[in-house]
Amino acid sequence: MKFALIASMLLCVGPVIAQDEAPKEGFTLKSESALQLNQIALSNWASGGENSLSLNANIFAEADHRRGRRFSQLIANWQIGIFKEEDEPIQKSADHLTLIAVSGYHVSPKLSVGVLADLTTQVAPSYEFDPGFVGLFGGNPTDGIKI
């Protein structure tokens, strides 16, 4: 058991990369995207399961600008997901937008000062409470659940 734990920890460690040369000056742009589709189809199954379909996407973009000792970086990451069960309407499962902006100045090769701005939000509207569900926990549908 101990061997399996140690082996799994060693396999999960990512590569370590040393950066010997200075980053290039100018403007660089990098982007990545991922799309995931899941389907669950239950047949000859005990009661309680439902067929479902889900779609998740992740969009990432990064822009860098370096000139002399000054640098700027802008990062945008949007995760969005929807799912549909048999008799239910389409619902949102993930909605997360992050925007990060950094601007700075290299005082020395190992010391930088700068300003960072971070915005994290949702894009699509959230779900609505079911009044019957809120009432189960002693809440008022107009006020929500109070603890």
Side-chain angles (χ1 to χ4, degrees):
M1 180 68 180
K2 288 182 183 180
F3 176 75
L5 180 63
I6 293 171
S8 65
M9 290 173 60
L10 291 176
L11 292 174
C12 292
V13 174
V16 178
I17 300 172
Q19 185 176 353
D20 294 332
E21 61 186 56
K24 295 180 182 178
E25 285 199 7
F27 184 78
T28 59
L29 183 63
K30 176 178 128 179
S31 66
E32 298 173 5
S33 60
L35 187 65
Q36 178 184 19
L37 176 67
N38 296 316
Q39 178 186 10
I40 298 175
L42 303 174
S43 60
N44 297 330
W45 192 259
S47 62
E50 290 187 14
N51 297 336
S52 66
L53 183 67
S54 68
L55 180 67
N56 295 311
N58 186 22
I59 302 166
F60 174 84
E62 178 180 358
D64 286 320
H65 183 261
R66 298 183 185 280
R67 177 158 301 163
R69 292 184 167 200
R70 293 190 174 106
F71 63 92
S72 298
Q73 184 177 33
L74 179 63
I75 298 171
N77 189 21
W78 187 24
Q79 298 170 351
I80 187 81
I82 57 173
F83 72 95
K84 168 87 170 94
E85 291 180 337
E86 279 183 14
D87 299 330
E88 298 290 324
I90 295 175
Q91 298 178 5
K92 176 178 72 169
S93 62
D95 183 11
H96 185 212
L97 175 65
T98 303
L99 300 173
I100 300 172
V102 179
S103 184
Y105 182 79
H106 290 289
V107 177
S108 69
K110 295 186 178 186
L111 178 64
S112 299
V113 293
V115 176
L116 178 133
D118 185 349
L119 170 70
T120 301
T121 187
Q122 290 180 307
V123 177
S126 294
Y127 60 89
E128 295 181 13
F129 281 111
D130 179 14
F133 180 75
V134 174
L136 288 175
F137 294 99
N140 184 345
T142 57
D143 296 335
I145 300 170
K146 306 235 184 209
I147 297 176

